[in-house]
């Protein structure tokens, strides 16, 4: 198969993966509001993946860095209906939209905690080795720092999730050397070689890096 044919096949597979996801109605409604706000929600294929991971890990405690308008949080709680989600964002408007989306989805208030502030200030105050999942969907300039914090916060066997890690396809282009692309590229390559985690990279839609911690030897 030639390069053009391979690219066509990859494009068809990606399109099929996007089009076959059925998004729950309450998440679809929240997505429409998020797009009105310009909050750039995670795509349905990535949302479905994080829901599966939350369900597979039977997550009870989840941290989300970057609330947006609540789409990723709704997907996480869709997969882990008993979990408590702590979500952090600097934008009060986004947090307000997420609160509304959670209310519309009839998620009990006790299952969510909204924190307004910079993740770099909030994360050091949180208990280490206490969470099942940490999702990092915040300022890409700080992605490596946030992932490092996330790996400290998750329990042994816990998972850190990083959507948008493909940077719109830029990470695959060796010519791209801007700080954000370089940070994502370094994050992917370094974690693949780390003895402390098992890492997997999904390339569907905007991409999802999955890092599960291993017990210390």
């Amino acid at each position: 198969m030639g390069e053009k044919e391979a690219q066509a096949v990859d494009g068809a597979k990606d399109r099929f993966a996007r089009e076959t996801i059925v998004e729950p109605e309450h998440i679809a409604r929240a997505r429409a509001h998020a797009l009105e706000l310009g909050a750039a929600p995670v795509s349905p294929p990535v949302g479905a993946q994080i829901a599966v991971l939350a369900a597979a890990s039977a997550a009870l405690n989840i941290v989300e860095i970057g609330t947006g308008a609540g789409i990723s949080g709704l997907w996480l709680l869709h997969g882990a209906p008993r979990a408590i989600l702590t979500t952090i964002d600097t934008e009060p408007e986004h947090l307000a939209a997420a609160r509304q989306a959670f209310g519309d989805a009839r998620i009990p208030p006790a299952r969510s905690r909204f924190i307004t502030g910079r993740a770099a200030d909030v994360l050091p105050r949180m208990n280490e080795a206490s969470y099942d999942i940490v999702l990092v969907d915040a300022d890409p300039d700080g992605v490596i720092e946030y992932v490092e914090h996330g790996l400290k916060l998750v329990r042994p066997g816990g998972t850190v999730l990083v959507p948008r890690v493909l940077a719109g396809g830029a990470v695959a282009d060796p010519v791209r050397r801007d700080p954000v692309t370089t940070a994502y590229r370094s994050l992917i390559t370094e974690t693949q070689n780390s003895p402390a985690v098992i890492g997997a990279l999904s390339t569907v839609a905007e991409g999802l890096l999955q890092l599960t911690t291993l017990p210390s030897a």
Side-chain angles (χ1 to χ4, degrees), residues 117-177:
R118 295 177 62 251
D121 298 329
V122 176
L123 296 176
R125 301 197 298 268
M126 303 183 77
N127 293 330
E128 295 185 1
S130 299
Y131 298 90
D132 302 300
I133 291 175
V134 173
L135 184 137
V136 179
D137 188 20
D139 179 9
D141 290 330
V143 66
I144 292 178
E145 178 185 359
Y146 298 147
V147 169
E148 289 175 348
H149 275 299
L151 291 171
K152 293 177 183 178
L153 294 180
V154 294
R155 59 170 173 78
T159 299
V160 175
L161 302 172
V162 190
R164 310 182 206 275
V165 74
L166 297 178
V171 293
D173 182 356
V175 177
R176 292 289 296 271
R177 298 288 181 179

Side-chain angles (χ1 to χ4, degrees), residues 8-203:
V9 169
D10 287 343
K13 289 189 293 186
D14 189 56
R15 183 169 59 254
F16 179 79
R18 291 196 309 270
E19 293 175 351
T20 52
I21 298 298
V22 177
E23 191 163 51
E25 185 177 347
H26 67 280
I27 301 181
R29 289 196 304 268
R31 178 179 300 281
H33 191 197
L35 292 172
E36 290 174 2
L37 288 176
V42 296
S43 66
V46 168
Q49 287 181 72
I50 64 176
V52 166
L53 291 164
S57 63
L60 295 176
N61 293 290
I62 301 173
V63 174
E64 178 184 46
I65 305 169
T67 308
I71 309 306
S72 50
L74 289 172
W75 272 113
L76 287 164
L77 293 178
H78 180 65
R82 296 174 55 214
I84 295 174
L85 173 72
T86 299
T87 184
I88 307 163
D89 205 292
T90 59
E91 296 291 338
E93 185 179 18
H94 291 178
L95 286 163
R99 285 179 187 273
Q100 178 181 332
F102 280 37
D104 291 345
R106 298 184 179 179
I107 294 172
R111 288 186 52 211
S112 58
R113 182 166 65 131
F114 298 87
I115 298 177
T116 304
R118 295 177 62 251
D121 298 329
V122 176
L123 296 176
R125 301 197 298 268
M126 303 183 77
N127 293 330
E128 295 185 1
S130 299
Y131 298 90
D132 302 300
I133 291 175
V134 173
L135 184 137
V136 179
D137 188 20
D139 179 9
D141 290 330
V143 66
I144 292 178
E145 178 185 359
Y146 298 147
V147 169
E148 289 175 348
H149 275 299
L151 291 171
K152 293 177 183 178
L153 294 180
V154 294
R155 59 170 173 78
T159 299
V160 175
L161 302 172
V162 190
R164 310 182 206 275
V165 74
L166 297 178
V171 293
D173 182 356
V175 177
R176 292 289 296 271
R177 298 288 181 179
D178 60 276
V180 169
T181 302
T182 300
Y184 278 130
R185 189 181 292 128
S186 297
L187 177 63
I188 294 168
T189 56
E190 290 175 11
T191 52
Q192 292 299 306
N193 294 318
S194 171
V197 299
I198 293 178
L201 175 63
S202 168
T203 59

